[in-house]
Amino acid sequence: MFHGYLSHERDLIGLAPMLPEEFTLVSVRAPHALGPGFTWFPLLHEPDYSIERVTAAVDDVVSWLDTVKGAHTSVTLLGFSMGMAVATSVLRRRPADIEAVVGLSGFAIPTPSDYFRDDEVAAASVPLFWGRGDADQIITEDKIEFTNEWANANTRLVKMMYANMAHSINPTEMGHVCEFLRQSVLAEAPAR
């Protein structure tokens, strides 16, 4: 689980009771302290943003995953807001290691980079749940357009839009996430 901008690792762990009990959950804290919380990298419109800052955060997550993934049957990523950018970036870097991705009110990094292995992501056909509210004023239209295009071209996308939901998560969405996880990860899935 990857939290959003200016949040912390205790934020998303509150979703645990709404997720299938078969999952082992880990909520990861972003590496950079900022204001009241933490961030994975600078916001895309900030002057100190760079793809190198994104890849450094992703490399840290991948290195950590390498130490724990062997103790589990699979790895599924869940990210909220900027945390979705981290989750989809980890998928784009190491698609063979990821069973599924859940993105909530977030986006995929629109910066082109040889670092990402989108051809491998497409070949792996990883399931991606992307839920967002139609009243979200935080994620800009350009990020939504890129994410929609990228996800449709490279993943088995399940996209849900929630009426009157701002930049948040609601119980209906978590019910859909649970159903997605049961079908995509827990059910007997054909080999990818």
Side-chain angles (χ1 to χ4, degrees), residues 169-189:
I169 301 167
N170 71 28
T172 301
E173 181 178 31
M174 288 309 298
H176 292 148
V177 167
C178 232
E179 183 180 333
F180 168 82
L181 292 172
R182 289 190 186 287
Q183 291 176 356
S184 300
V185 179
L186 297 177
E188 293 263 354

Side-chain angles (χ1 to χ4, degrees), residues 35-173:
F38 298 85
T39 188
W40 300 96
F41 45 82
L43 295 174
L44 277 66
H45 65 273
E46 292 178 339
D48 55 346
Y49 170 82
S50 69
I51 191 64
E52 290 77 21
R53 302 280 301 262
V54 173
T55 61
V58 171
D59 285 343
D60 286 347
V61 171
V62 167
S63 293
W64 173 77
L65 276 176
D66 284 343
T67 69
V68 298
K69 69 181 181 187
H72 305 279
T73 55
S74 67
V75 175
T76 295
L77 308 175
L78 182 149
F80 173 76
S81 192
M82 184 185 274
M84 179 180 170
V86 174
T88 54
S89 293
V90 170
L91 169 65
R92 295 171 76 186
R93 181 64 181 163
R94 296 282 286 273
D97 293 341
I98 307 305
E99 188 70 25
V101 175
V102 173
L104 307 173
S105 297
F107 61 98
I109 295 293
T111 308
S113 172
D114 292 338
Y115 176 83
F116 295 130
R117 300 170 178 164
D118 287 339
D119 55 337
E120 293 177 33
V121 176
S125 190
V126 175
L128 168 66
F129 177 95
W130 179 28
R132 63 186 193 87
D134 65 357
D136 189 336
Q137 299 292 311
I138 302 298
I139 306 303
T140 57
E141 193 60 37
D142 59 323
K143 291 182 190 78
I144 292 168
E145 287 176 15
F146 174 82
T147 303
N148 189 52
E149 182 180 310
W150 172 81
N152 274 298
N154 295 291
T155 70
R156 283 189 289 141
L157 178 63
V158 173
K159 183 168 63 171
M160 299 296 293
M161 177 80 76
Y162 299 94
N164 303 313
M165 188 173 89
H167 192 65
S168 61
I169 301 167
N170 71 28
T172 301
E173 181 178 31

